[in-house]
mmCIF file of all heavy atoms in Angstrom:
data_model
loop_
_atom_site.group_PDB
_atom_site.id
_atom_site.type_symbol
_atom_site.label_atom_id
_atom_site.label_comp_id
_atom_site.label_asym_id
_atom_site.label_seq_id
_atom_site.Cartn_x
_atom_site.Cartn_y
_atom_site.Cartn_z
ATOM 1 N N PHE A 430 -24.253 77.827 48.831
ATOM 2 C CA PHE A 430 -25.046 78.936 48.500
ATOM 3 C C PHE A 430 -26.415 78.954 49.159
ATOM 4 O O PHE A 430 -26.973 79.955 49.534
ATOM 5 C CB PHE A 430 -25.157 79.175 46.939
ATOM 6 C CG PHE A 430 -25.850 80.344 46.587
ATOM 7 C CD1 PHE A 430 -25.478 81.614 46.867
ATOM 8 C CD2 PHE A 430 -27.109 80.303 45.779
ATOM 9 C CE1 PHE A 430 -26.099 82.789 46.472
ATOM 10 C CE2 PHE A 430 -27.871 81.391 45.591
ATOM 11 C CZ PHE A 430 -27.288 82.612 45.767
ATOM 12 N N GLY A 431 -27.051 77.702 49.172
ATOM 13 C CA GLY A 431 -28.428 77.580 49.771
ATOM 14 C C GLY A 431 -28.330 77.823 51.242
ATOM 15 O O GLY A 431 -29.186 78.469 51.805
ATOM 16 N N GLY A 432 -27.174 77.457 51.885
ATOM 17 C CA GLY A 432 -27.104 77.661 53.349
ATOM 18 C C GLY A 432 -26.925 79.178 53.684
ATOM 19 O O GLY A 432 -27.363 79.750 54.664
ATOM 20 N N LEU A 433 -26.206 79.945 52.692
ATOM 21 C CA LEU A 433 -26.127 81.329 52.929
ATOM 22 C C LEU A 433 -27.495 82.044 52.815
ATOM 23 O O LEU A 433 -27.851 82.983 53.575
ATOM 24 C CB LEU A 433 -25.087 81.819 51.858
ATOM 25 C CG LEU A 433 -24.836 83.371 51.947
ATOM 26 C CD1 LEU A 433 -23.335 83.714 51.681
ATOM 27 C CD2 LEU A 433 -25.696 84.168 50.984
ATOM 28 N N VAL A 434 -28.224 81.712 51.594
ATOM 29 C CA VAL A 434 -29.519 82.333 51.551
ATOM 30 C C VAL A 434 -30.419 82.017 52.689
ATOM 31 O O VAL A 434 -31.112 82.920 53.153
ATOM 32 C CB VAL A 434 -30.016 81.838 50.149
ATOM 33 C CG1 VAL A 434 -31.468 82.294 49.963
ATOM 34 C CG2 VAL A 434 -29.269 82.292 48.952
ATOM 35 N N GLY A 435 -30.452 80.737 53.034
ATOM 36 C CA GLY A 435 -31.416 80.382 54.102
ATOM 37 C C GLY A 435 -31.007 81.090 55.514
ATOM 38 O O GLY A 435 -31.823 81.503 56.063
ATOM 39 N N GLY A 436 -29.674 81.097 55.745
ATOM 40 C CA GLY A 436 -29.239 81.827 56.990
ATOM 41 C C GLY A 436 -29.528 83.376 56.993
ATOM 42 O O GLY A 436 -30.134 83.979 58.026
ATOM 43 N N VAL A 437 -29.367 84.068 55.889
ATOM 44 C CA VAL A 437 -29.668 85.479 55.831
ATOM 45 C C VAL A 437 -31.265 85.724 55.908
ATOM 46 O O VAL A 437 -31.680 86.514 56.683
ATOM 47 C CB VAL A 437 -29.264 86.136 54.582
ATOM 48 C CG1 VAL A 437 -29.677 87.490 54.377
ATOM 49 C CG2 VAL A 437 -27.587 86.011 54.571
ATOM 50 N N VAL A 438 -32.040 85.002 55.035
ATOM 51 C CA VAL A 438 -33.536 85.106 55.019
ATOM 52 C C VAL A 438 -34.014 84.655 56.409
ATOM 53 O O VAL A 438 -34.953 85.255 56.889
ATOM 54 C CB VAL A 438 -34.114 84.326 53.886
ATOM 55 C CG1 VAL A 438 -35.637 84.427 54.053
ATOM 56 C CG2 VAL A 438 -33.619 84.711 52.650
ATOM 57 N N GLY A 439 -33.426 83.676 57.019
ATOM 58 C CA GLY A 439 -33.991 83.097 58.319
ATOM 59 C C GLY A 439 -33.719 84.233 59.457
ATOM 60 O O GLY A 439 -34.539 84.469 60.273
ATOM 61 N N ALA A 440 -32.557 84.974 59.406
ATOM 62 C CA ALA A 440 -32.334 85.966 60.355
ATOM 63 C C ALA A 440 -33.291 87.109 60.259
ATOM 64 O O ALA A 440 -33.664 87.676 61.229
ATOM 65 C CB ALA A 440 -30.837 86.503 60.086
ATOM 66 N N TRP A 441 -33.596 87.472 58.946
ATOM 67 C CA TRP A 441 -34.613 88.637 58.729
ATOM 68 C C TRP A 441 -36.031 88.194 59.195
ATOM 69 O O TRP A 441 -36.758 88.878 59.869
ATOM 70 C CB TRP A 441 -34.611 88.841 57.137
ATOM 71 C CG TRP A 441 -35.582 89.883 56.789
ATOM 72 C CD1 TRP A 441 -35.481 91.201 57.260
ATOM 73 C CD2 TRP A 441 -36.856 89.892 55.970
ATOM 74 N NE1 TRP A 441 -36.486 92.011 56.693
ATOM 75 C CE2 TRP A 441 -37.359 91.130 55.929
ATOM 76 C CE3 TRP A 441 -37.396 88.816 55.475
ATOM 77 C CZ2 TRP A 441 -38.572 91.359 55.187
ATOM 78 C CZ3 TRP A 441 -38.503 88.984 54.690
ATOM 79 C CH2 TRP A 441 -39.083 90.265 54.627
ATOM 80 N N LEU A 442 -36.372 86.902 58.860
ATOM 81 C CA LEU A 442 -37.636 86.494 59.327
ATOM 82 C C LEU A 442 -37.790 86.220 60.808
ATOM 83 O O LEU A 442 -38.865 86.304 61.481
ATOM 84 C CB LEU A 442 -38.097 85.117 58.643
ATOM 85 C CG LEU A 442 -38.356 85.244 57.067
ATOM 86 C CD1 LEU A 442 -38.622 83.888 56.499
ATOM 87 C CD2 LEU A 442 -39.492 86.196 56.709
ATOM 88 N N GLY A 443 -36.643 85.907 61.433
ATOM 89 C CA GLY A 443 -36.601 85.676 62.852
ATOM 90 C C GLY A 443 -36.946 86.912 63.629
ATOM 91 O O GLY A 443 -37.314 86.900 64.889
ATOM 92 N N ALA A 444 -36.726 88.166 63.071
ATOM 93 C CA ALA A 444 -37.080 89.368 63.819
ATOM 94 C C ALA A 444 -38.621 89.614 63.850
ATOM 95 O O ALA A 444 -39.037 90.452 64.640
ATOM 96 C CB ALA A 444 -36.419 90.595 63.103
ATOM 97 N N VAL A 445 -39.321 88.941 63.088
ATOM 98 C CA VAL A 445 -40.863 89.164 63.075
ATOM 99 C C VAL A 445 -41.519 88.965 64.435
ATOM 100 O O VAL A 445 -42.313 89.913 64.837
ATOM 101 C CB VAL A 445 -41.488 88.189 61.993
ATOM 102 C CG1 VAL A 445 -43.026 88.336 62.077
ATOM 103 C CG2 VAL A 445 -40.932 88.608 60.582
ATOM 104 N N PRO A 446 -41.219 87.879 65.175
ATOM 105 C CA PRO A 446 -41.984 87.595 66.476
ATOM 106 C C PRO A 446 -41.481 88.608 67.564
ATOM 107 O O PRO A 446 -42.279 88.771 68.606
ATOM 108 C CB PRO A 446 -41.539 86.205 66.927
ATOM 109 C CG PRO A 446 -40.938 85.620 65.604
ATOM 110 C CD PRO A 446 -40.354 86.726 64.862
ATOM 111 N N ILE A 447 -40.389 89.290 67.498
ATOM 112 C CA ILE A 447 -39.872 90.125 68.597
ATOM 113 C C ILE A 447 -40.850 91.264 68.988
ATOM 114 O O ILE A 447 -41.247 91.260 70.198
ATOM 115 C CB ILE A 447 -38.543 90.782 68.227
ATOM 116 C CG1 ILE A 447 -37.571 89.606 68.176
ATOM 117 C CG2 ILE A 447 -38.091 91.735 69.400
ATOM 118 C CD1 ILE A 447 -36.055 90.057 67.775
#
Side-chain angles (χ1 to χ4, degrees):
F430 182 64
L433 182 143
V434 172
V437 172
V438 174
W441 181 67
L442 294 177
V445 173
I447 293 179

